[in-house]
Amino acid sequence: MNVIETQAYLKKAIKKAYGASVRIWGFDVERNERTSAQFSGVVVSEKGVVLTAAHTISPGRTYKIFFPDGREAIAKALGRIDLEAAPGTPDAGMLQILDKGAFPFVEMGFSASLKEKEACISISYPERINLLLPTLRYGKVAEVKNEYGFIRSTCKMEPGDSGGALFDQLGRLIGIHSAIDVSEEMNFEIPIDVYRKYWTALQEQINYVKYPSQEDSFNQGAMESSPKIGNLDLPIEKFATKLIKKKHDAYLLTSKLEGVDSEAIGTVINYVKNEKVKEQFVLSKNSIVGDLPCLWADGVKISLEVVKRDVQTDLTLLKTSKKLKGGIDIISSQVNEVQLGAIVIATLPDGKYKKGMIGNELIALEKTSSIPYFGASVLFKSKPATTTVVKTGSPAANAGVQTGDFITGINGVAIRQASEVAPELAKYWAGQEITVNWLRGEQTFSKSIKLMNKPFMASKHPVDRFIGGSSERRDGFKQVFTHDAVLLPSQCGAPIFGIDGQFLGINIARFSRAVSLGIPCSVILDFLKEIPSQR
């Protein structure tokens, strides 16, 4: 099997499984209000039986179900199995949709028939990126059954994915997402055979703290006769190895960022403008490329000149006087399409690469974590906007803002009440300077203040302890796509290719444990079109 056939298998599996992979949250039907955090599930019957994780539901309570096609339904939680003697196991739960209708559903596989290293696909709803459509991730079965009875897969999970579906290479349901550990390789799934075994018991609205006495038998013959295909990961690995051998596009960049050494990756591009003039540039992630940027080629340090920086896209364009070997040829008129479920390869310096799957097509990400840090809170509904807490060492504190001061203006915009402060600050980015006016008694102040990134808050939860962590700048993009390649923040700027060798974009952020972001070629082309000729 070649890599093109592998891609076709995966897309066929995704097509079978996608429509029944649902987003869920607790919902009070009488008050018409949400009552819980978001989690995931999968519909396994036309009449609306939904499988999820036990730790997400309580028997008898109601939940709202959201399908990828926009349909909504109300469901009631049925049974859950969470052992008193071993909390968190086996973590199996079931719901029943109360609305009438023929619902999209998936085929259930057999977890006992799995083999290590088989390819698998996750389709669920990670909460941090908070999208209406599910996010895909690609991996393999690392353990068929660990010491706690779970499948361990390399399909990365995070909060919101709990209860979501793990599918095999043919799009059959083989597990339900349950828990994670620190390493991205540690993702634990409830085997689908647990649901088969306790199917009848789970249809009762009971919280089982011991395994139910009632067990169901299921067709072992069907398990043994299920179709087998080869390891889909092998052709991908072979393709990636060939790609990295012939590609010389990714180079290590170093610079000084706020006086501290910073690393990034630069993608060398040969830009053909108007199909006549070809110019060579280095493209990277703006927020991690500082002053005195240099490129390392064959152990030689080459100084770079900054041609352009764009805060919105987080792209920077650099120029070197020395011609570099390789580079990606980009024509100003070309269009490279990003497709859901496509396998991608991110090439890195020194002959390395990362592989992944496109989890969502082009999306916009609002600025949330990237809202710059000012460091002064204002009293809710206060008029004028009255500061209540000023954090020590923050930009506000360093400028002399004190508790009880009235914020009266930001960069020439009058501030009359508390609700106007946050939206005005959100217009700017960390590193930018703004003029803030404030009043203390009868004394007025006006100072230029340099905004910062939000201080990092250490967390003991495994979701925040993966190597390298998330990029500081990871949202506020008008157009990006998600994928699940395991990248360090310092590896942003690396090129992304499809299995046909087509350039799809560059890595722009490690968003979270489960999600990385790419800036598509279309955005890069718009960025390049505004560059005057360097000749």
Side-chain angles (χ1 to χ4, degrees):
M1 183 181 299
N2 61 35
V3 71
I4 302 297
E5 293 170 327
T6 294
Q7 181 70 88
Y9 260 109
L10 292 173
K11 286 195 172 183
K12 185 177 179 181
I14 292 164
K15 186 176 181 180
K16 285 176 61 178
Y18 191 86
S21 301
V22 295
R23 183 169 60 117
I24 312 173
W25 62 52
F27 191 77
D28 187 320
V29 292
E30 293 182 358
R31 296 184 178 182
N32 195 35
E33 64 182 20
R34 179 175 174 172
T35 59
S36 81
Q38 173 180 303
F39 59 99
S40 300
V42 60
V43 183
V44 294
S45 78
E46 188 176 29
K47 293 184 178 179
V49 174
V50 181
L51 303 187
T52 190
H55 71 263
T56 64
I57 62 170
S58 296
R61 291 191 178 178
T62 50
Y63 296 82
K64 182 168 278 192
I65 308 289
F66 301 86
F67 287 86
D69 64 5
R71 194 179 341 179
E72 299 178 5
I74 297 297
K76 180 168 284 189
L78 302 178
R80 65 189 295 274
I81 309 173
D82 189 358
L83 304 183
E84 188 175 45
T89 62
D91 201 23
M94 182 182 287
L95 304 97
Q96 173 65 58
I97 295 177
L98 302 179
D99 304 58
K100 293 183 179 180
F103 298 101
F105 66 97
V106 300
E107 175 187 359
M108 291 169 58
F110 297 89
S111 46
S113 66
L114 296 175
K115 304 294 182 185
E116 287 188 6
K117 298 184 179 180
E118 283 187 18
C120 53
I121 303 164
S122 161
I123 308 181
S124 51
Y125 296 79
E127 189 174 32
R128 290 192 173 184
I129 200 162
N130 196 27
L131 300 175
L132 298 179
L133 295 176
T135 298
L136 277 58
R137 278 140 287 172
Y138 173 74
K140 62 184 177 183
V141 175
E143 288 182 87
V144 173
K145 189 176 184 180
N146 72 2
E147 60 182 308
Y148 302 104
F150 292 106
I151 300 166
R152 180 170 68 86
S153 84
T154 64
C155 289
K156 293 171 287 300
M157 294 188 287
E158 58 188 59
D161 287 318
S162 292
L166 186 74
F167 298 97
D168 68 6
Q169 302 173 142
L170 294 173
R172 300 171 302 190
L173 182 64
I174 55 171
I176 297 294
H177 299 332
S178 177
I180 62 171
D181 208 335
V182 174
S183 168
E184 290 104 322
E185 301 283 303
M186 297 292 183
N187 307 277
F188 304 110
E189 326 278 351
I190 309 150
I192 194 61
D193 289 354
V194 171
Y195 294 88
R196 288 184 177 277
K197 186 175 182 179
Y198 298 108
W199 185 268
T200 301
L202 283 169
Q203 291 183 48
E204 300 294 330
Q205 294 178 29
I206 297 173
N207 179 30
Y208 296 98
V209 295
K210 295 180 180 179
Y211 280 115
S213 58
Q214 183 172 10
E215 297 181 4
D216 298 301
S217 60
F218 51 92
N219 190 344
Q220 298 288 333
M223 177 180 72
E224 296 301 326
S225 63
S226 59
K228 302 291 182 181
I229 57 176
N231 186 345
L232 296 185
D233 215 30
L234 291 177
I236 297 170
E237 297 282 358
K238 288 180 180 179
F239 168 77
T241 302
K242 289 181 180 178
L243 180 70
I244 198 71
K245 283 182 178 178
K246 67 180 182 179
K247 288 289 184 184
H248 301 281
D249 311 310
Y251 290 83
L252 174 66
L253 300 186
T254 59
S255 63
K256 290 287 186 181
L257 194 62
E258 300 290 336
V260 178
D261 291 338
S262 178
E263 288 189 357
I265 292 176
T267 294
V268 178
I269 56 173
N270 303 313
Y271 181 49
V272 182
K273 190 173 184 179
N274 300 324
E275 300 182 359
K276 294 179 180 179
V277 180
K278 179 184 286 190
E279 297 179 274
Q280 190 173 74
F281 296 101
V282 180
L283 189 66
S284 192
K285 178 177 173 69
N286 178 62
S287 58
I288 58 172
V289 176
D291 300 324
L292 306 174
C294 297
L295 175 147
W296 294 84
D298 299 323
V300 177
K301 183 178 180 180
I302 302 171
S303 296
L304 297 170
E305 173 191 354
V306 176
V307 175
K308 181 183 178 183
R309 293 183 182 272
D310 182 59
V311 178
Q312 176 59 57
T313 59
D314 204 17
L315 293 173
T316 187
L317 198 67
L318 307 115
K319 185 79 172 175
T320 175
S321 58
K322 181 178 178 180
K323 173 73 173 177
L324 298 169
K325 64 180 179 181
I328 301 165
D329 291 338
I330 300 180
I331 301 172
S332 60
S333 59
Q334 77 184 65
V335 177
N336 297 346
E337 186 179 0
V338 172
Q339 295 185 347
L340 182 71
I343 293 297
V344 293
I345 307 296
T347 60
L348 305 174
D350 303 323
K352 299 175 182 178
Y353 65 87
K354 300 283 188 176
K355 69 177 185 295
M357 173 179 280
I358 293 179
N360 300 92
E361 294 177 342
L362 299 183
I363 58 172
L365 283 181
E366 292 184 2
K367 187 193 293 187
T368 53
S369 65
S370 296
I371 294 174
Y373 178 60
F374 178 54
S377 302
V378 291
L379 182 65
F380 181 61
K381 290 188 177 180
S382 58
K383 187 176 181 179
T386 308
T387 59
T388 55
V389 177
V390 180
K391 296 287 187 179
T392 303
S394 69
N398 293 339
V401 178
Q402 298 179 8
T403 300
D405 289 348
F406 302 144
I407 304 297
T408 58
I410 297 175
N411 254 15
V413 176
I415 301 296
R416 299 176 181 84
Q417 56 191 359
S419 61
E420 296 172 344
V421 174
E424 197 59 35
L425 288 173
K427 295 177 182 179
Y428 302 98
W429 302 89
Q432 290 185 323
E433 291 192 4
I434 61 172
T435 300
V436 178
N437 303 320
W438 69 95
L439 180 66
R440 183 182 306 146
E442 296 182 359
Q443 189 176 6
T444 59
F445 298 85
S446 180
K447 286 192 178 181
S448 179
I449 297 177
K450 188 174 184 179
L451 298 170
M452 299 168 49
N453 284 307
K454 291 180 181 177
F456 174 72
M457 302 296 289
S459 166
K460 294 183 179 180
H461 193 287
V463 75
D464 293 316
R465 294 168 58 199
F466 59 94
I467 295 174
S470 299
S471 298
E472 279 195 323
R473 167 72 193 279
R474 57 186 181 272
D475 56 22
F477 298 107
K478 292 183 178 178
Q479 200 171 68
V480 287
F481 60 90
T482 71
H483 64 89
D484 61 340
V486 179
L487 293 168
L488 299 175
S490 60
Q491 292 172 329
C492 289
I496 306 170
F497 299 94
I499 58 165
D500 54 2
Q502 189 177 60
F503 174 65
L504 297 179
I506 70 164
N507 290 298
I508 203 64
R510 179 70 187 268
F511 183 84
S512 63
R513 184 183 190 271
V515 177
S516 294
L517 301 177
I519 285 278
C521 185
S522 57
V523 172
I524 292 170
L525 283 169
D526 289 340
F527 175 72
L528 291 172
K529 286 173 184 176
E530 299 175 3
I531 303 297
S533 175
Q534 299 293 298
R535 295 192 175 189

